[in-house]
Each structure stands twice: as C-alpha cells, then as structure tokens.
C-alpha cells in the first residue's frame, strides 16, 4: 500500500476491534477521530461513509479495483481487512466458517448484550433518579452477559483461540469482555480469563487498544459535559 487506510474512530470496544486488527495486520492507517459525545457522528461527512452514524468506519483509498472504498459496520470491516491483508481470516471454506460464526456471535450477541449491560449499570443510574425503574434492565442484561461469558468459557476449554488459529473473531470479541463494567467475575470463567491474558499480551493488541485512549471520557460522571454527551448518545430518534 502507498496510501494509508482512513480509520474513522472513537475509542470504544467497536473501535478497538479495528485499530487492533490494523496493528495486527501491519496495514498503514491514519485515525480520523469522530467524537460521539459531541455528536460528530451525525455530520454529513461521516454519514456519507457510515449511513448508520456509528463508529467505526474505514475508507481504503486503494480498494480492490484501485478506487477508494468505504465500509461501515465493524464485522464487515474485519472481514475486508482480513481478506485484503491475507492474515487472520482463512480462505479455506471450513476454517472461514468457523471464524465467521464466532465473528457474528460477537456482533449479534456479545456486543449488543454487553452494550445494554453497560447502559443499565453505568449510564442509566446517572439519568434516572428512581433506581427501581432500571433494576430489571440491570438484572436482565447482566445475566445475559454472564450466559455469554459461559458460552465463551466452554468454547475455550480445549483451544487457545475461538476459531482454531488466532483470527479476526478473537479481535472482535476481546474488546467486549469488560468484567468490571459488566458485573462479572472472571474467576468463574478460567478458560476465558486465560484467553483474555493471552490476547492482551500481544503487542499489536496493546497498541491498538491504546489508540485515542486520552480522548475517552467518563460518560457516567456527573456534570453538564457528561449530561450533554449522554443526551447525544441516548436521545437519538429517526430523523
């Protein structure tokens, strides 16, 4: 490559998936910050790339036909980058199916369920005075995240990585296992805990996870800035 991939990004679990993948694959990239707490995801320049108004997104100036290609949705981005680099995403049909099913397990299961756990455990208490109104949401999503941790723990009982060799599926799942934010105790899931350490020790994972870390803000905090950011993030409707 002669031109870097544009990574439209904010330091969130979904963003970390892509910064980790780019580091692991050795693909050159430049970060285009999208401050989601300030509403930059609604700006026309970003929505031209990501119609859903969510980070991350990429623009590859050297697409497969030599023309720029933009992609949104983290799972689609990981598949594209894996195919482009020829790394961490097998071409063999059976091996690819193993990776794909665990990649989609994350984007359709762990990510949304853990995201709701974050919402009800971290953010809702700062917005709703009567905590009884959120008690069911806390219990529902904390329990579902616990179930998903169990699925992953069983999967890792006899293997080092979720789909055989280290792959984009591991890169997708790892950023979303955040036990302190999700009301979980990793001592209950020893195989998952070992996998977390195994992945977290990789230099490229550490580098990708650190991208933009200084820009993160505590959206569960008190104060006008955090309140305004929550209104942007959680008050969205169709426009």
């Amino acid at each position: 490559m002669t031109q870097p991939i544009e990574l439209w990004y904010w330091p969130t679990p979904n963003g970390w998936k892509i910064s980790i993948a780019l580091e692991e694959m050795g693909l050159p990239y430049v970060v285009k910050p999208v401050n989601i707490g300030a509403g930059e995801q609604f700006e026309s320049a970003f929505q031209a790339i990501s119609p859903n108004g969510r980070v991350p997104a990429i623009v590859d100036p050297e697409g497969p036909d030599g023309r720029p290609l933009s992609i949104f949705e983290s799972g689609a981005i990981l598949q594209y980058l894996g195919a482009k680099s020829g790394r961490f995403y097998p071409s063999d049909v059976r091996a690819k199916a193993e990776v794909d099913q665990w990649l989609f397990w994350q984007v359709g299961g762990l990510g949304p369920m853990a995201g709701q756990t974050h919402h009800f455990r971290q953010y809702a208490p700062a917005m709703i005075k009567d905590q009884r109104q959120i008690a069911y949401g806390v219990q529902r999503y904390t329990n579902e995240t616990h179930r998903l941790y169990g699925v992953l723990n069983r999967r890792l009982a006899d293997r080092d990585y979720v789909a055989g060799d280290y792959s984009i599926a591991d890169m997708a799942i790892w950023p979303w296992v955040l036990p302190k934010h999700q009301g979980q105790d990793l001592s209950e899931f020893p195989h998952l805990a070992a996998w977390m350490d195994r992945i977290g020790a990789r230099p490229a994972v550490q580098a990708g996870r650190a991208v933009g870390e200084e820009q993160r803000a505590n959206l569960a905090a008190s104060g006008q800035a955090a309140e305004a950011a929550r209104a942007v993030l959680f008050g969205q409707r169709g426009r």
Side-chain angles (χ1 to χ4, degrees):
M1 292 184 65
T2 59
Q3 299 182 69
I5 290 171
E6 294 179 2
L7 171 58
W8 294 69
Y9 170 91
W10 199 244
T12 67
N14 282 333
W16 295 329
K17 297 181 200 176
I18 310 307
S19 54
I20 287 170
L22 289 165
E23 291 286 341
E24 288 281 18
M25 296 170 188
L27 294 170
Y29 68 99
V30 59
V31 175
K32 301 285 189 178
V34 181
N35 187 337
I36 60 175
E40 292 179 359
Q41 68 270 38
F42 303 123
E43 294 179 0
S44 58
F46 180 65
Q47 294 216 339
I49 298 166
S50 179
N52 194 37
R54 295 289 186 271
V55 292
I58 65 166
V59 177
D60 182 0
E62 299 175 3
D65 54 3
R67 296 182 298 165
L69 174 66
S70 64
I71 305 174
F72 72 104
E73 288 298 322
S74 59
I77 295 169
L78 286 171
Q79 289 177 322
Y80 175 78
L81 295 176
K84 181 181 179 72
S85 68
R87 304 188 68 194
F88 309 113
Y89 191 39
S91 57
D92 173 78
V93 174
R94 288 185 179 273
K96 186 175 183 180
E98 282 288 288
V99 172
D100 283 343
Q101 63 188 349
W102 285 98
L103 174 62
F104 282 92
W105 177 85
Q106 187 281 309
V107 298
L110 179 63
M113 295 300 101
Q116 292 298 327
T117 306
H118 293 176
H119 181 83
F120 283 100
R121 293 183 68 92
Q122 294 178 259
Y123 309 132
M127 298 185 291
I128 299 175
K129 292 181 180 180
D130 186 349
Q131 299 301 291
R132 294 173 297 179
Q133 295 182 25
I134 64 172
Y136 175 76
V138 171
Q139 182 182 43
R140 164 73 179 95
Y141 291 108
T142 301
N143 286 346
E144 177 61 6
T145 301
H146 189 275
R147 186 190 72 82
L148 292 166
Y149 275 36
V151 171
L152 194 53
N153 189 65
R154 291 190 297 274
R155 177 67 177 177
L156 292 164
D158 60 353
R159 68 198 72 213
D160 287 340
Y161 304 107
V162 294
D165 294 332
Y166 180 60
S167 72
I168 59 171
D170 298 283
M171 300 175 203
I173 296 167
W174 186 85
W176 273 103
V177 179
L178 297 166
K180 291 183 179 179
H181 297 304
Q182 296 161 359
Q184 310 299 330
D185 181 356
L186 277 189
S187 68
E188 297 183 58
F189 308 99
H191 307 303
L192 171 56
W195 174 84
M196 285 294 294
D197 290 342
R198 191 178 305 125
I199 303 296
R202 296 178 67 92
V205 171
Q206 295 172 6
R209 172 62 175 78
V211 172
E213 182 63 19
E214 72 283 354
Q215 296 172 310
R216 282 181 63 81
N218 180 8
L219 296 180
S222 58
Q224 292 184 345
E227 185 176 344
R230 289 192 294 268
V232 169
L233 289 171
F234 308 134
Q236 301 166 28
R237 292 170 59 87
R239 300 187 178 196

